[in-house]
Amino acid sequence: METLLRIGLSNAVVALLMALVVVTVACVWRRPAVLHALWLLILVKLVTPPLVWVPVAWPIISDSPQPAVAPMPELASVEPLLVKDTVVVADSEAMRETPSVEGAILPDELPSSEPLAIPNTPKATPLPIPGWLAATCGVWLAGALAWYALALVRLRRFRRMLRHAVPAPESLRQRTQRLAEKLRLRRCPGVWLVPGRVAPMLWAAGGRPRILFPADLLRQVGVEQQNALLVHELAHLRRRDHWVRWLEFIAAGLYWWNPVLWFARRELREAEEQCCDAWVTSTLPGAGKTYATALLET
């Protein structure tokens, strides 16, 4: 648990420092593509192992008293046995040293070889987990599970609404195919009409990506405005923004308590929308006013 808290704190501190740098860059250089990459890097950092560990010296205090360890008794010093008057005697096989009888220690005079009594020392037991540490990790885990559960409930509810979606008219699908070729997409997503007041969106959760277009808006805007809105959604697919949603999903569940995450997530989506707007004006020259009108209608 302590390691989990250290990882979360280290990533949060590094993400805060990175966010301050990105905010400073945004004040002097307003490039949506660059800012999008920088905010995306912060989300990646939150879900990756920490590169820099923040030193935290929180006390690990146990509620139960620790057993006292008895001090080791001092062993009596034993003087070494000296063998005096060593005489070298020739042997028929080899030369070897043998002590002379005079001054030698007889076996009866050797001290008794009784084993030394070593006192039993208690084994070191791991310190119990403090209550505040377990409570903090419990709140963190409970919040993450609640966030994932809420997100899955919303996803299921939206998928249930998609049962009322119907395929778009053939003319709209053909125009979408031509616009996808302009953006050099390998496969054109399907276009579906949905009831209700929703904005056009790219839906890529569980299955082939498809564009959801509100049926009421289709009757309110003209063909040029429809094309501008379709290019905007195709640009999301071309930029692989639907994969970023999964990264946001993971990071938001793990760091629901970190305000830096929510700020980076909001700025990331803002830069993402600006990048797709630039794709519209570059793909459809002269459609700036038409696209602005379509956004107001949306």
Side-chain angles (χ1 to χ4, degrees):
M1 291 186 178
E2 181 182 0
T3 304
L4 181 63
L5 287 181
R6 289 184 183 275
I7 292 175
L9 182 59
S10 299
N11 281 344
V13 171
V14 174
L16 175 60
L17 297 178
M18 295 174 63
L20 294 177
V21 174
V22 177
V23 170
T24 304
V25 172
C27 294
V28 297
W29 196 19
R30 296 295 303 178
R31 292 292 299 273
V34 176
L35 296 179
H36 181 271
L38 294 177
W39 290 118
L40 181 61
L41 187 62
I42 293 178
L43 294 185
V44 173
K45 182 67 211 73
L46 288 174
V47 299
T48 54
L51 300 177
V52 179
W53 289 88
V54 177
V56 180
W58 48 51
I60 304 298
I61 303 176
S62 173
D63 299 332
S64 59
Q66 298 297 322
V69 180
M72 290 287 294
E74 296 183 357
L75 300 178
S77 59
V78 180
E79 296 182 357
L81 301 178
L82 300 179
V83 180
K84 300 182 293 182
D85 300 338
T86 301
V87 180
V88 179
V89 182
D91 196 359
S92 59
E93 296 179 357
M95 299 294 295
R96 59 185 176 178
E97 295 183 355
T98 56
S100 61
V101 178
E102 182 181 359
I105 300 178
L106 300 178
D108 296 338
E109 299 177 2
L110 291 175
S112 60
S113 59
E114 296 180 357
L116 297 176
I118 300 177
N120 295 329
T121 58
K123 297 182 179 179
T125 57
L127 295 177
I129 300 176
W132 67 267
L133 184 60
T136 303
C137 293
V139 171
W140 187 355
L141 181 61
L145 294 179
W147 161 257
Y148 288 133
L150 179 61
L152 292 178
V153 168
R154 291 178 176 178
L155 178 63
R156 183 179 180 182
R157 186 179 304 172
F158 190 80
R159 289 178 63 91
R160 188 179 304 170
M161 189 194 72
L162 293 181
R163 298 176 182 177
H164 304 283
V166 295
E170 183 64 25
S171 59
L172 183 60
R173 285 182 288 177
Q174 291 179 359
R175 282 190 282 119
T176 306
Q177 177 67 37
R178 291 193 295 268
L179 294 174
E181 293 175 357
K182 284 187 177 182
L183 271 68
R184 298 180 181 179
L185 286 172
R186 296 181 179 179
R187 176 181 296 183
C188 177
V191 183
W192 293 71
L193 300 182
V194 293
R197 294 184 175 272
V198 295
M201 68 180 68
L202 176 68
W203 180 256
R208 181 181 175 183
R210 50 182 172 170
I211 295 177
L212 304 180
F213 206 96
D216 295 339
L217 183 63
L218 186 64
R219 293 187 292 266
Q220 294 178 6
V221 297
V223 175
E224 295 182 356
Q225 294 174 341
Q226 294 174 12
N227 293 342
L229 295 175
L230 290 173
V231 171
H232 181 92
E233 301 307 323
L234 291 173
H236 282 295
L237 182 61
R238 180 69 171 80
R239 289 168 37 84
R240 304 294 189 270
D241 290 333
H242 54 287
W243 293 110
V244 180
R245 300 288 84 82
W246 290 108
L247 178 62
E248 291 180 2
F249 176 76
I250 298 174
L254 295 178
Y255 292 90
W256 56 268
W257 48 268
N258 191 355
V260 176
L261 166 73
W262 302 107
F263 181 77
R265 182 170 176 258
R266 187 190 67 182
E267 295 297 322
L268 174 71
R269 294 196 176 187
E270 179 66 24
E272 184 178 286
E273 294 298 324
Q274 293 179 9
C275 290
C276 292
D277 292 342
W279 278 77
V280 174
T281 55
S282 61
T283 306
L284 303 175
K289 184 177 180 180
T290 303
Y291 180 55
T293 306
L295 290 180
L296 291 177
E297 293 293 338
T298 303

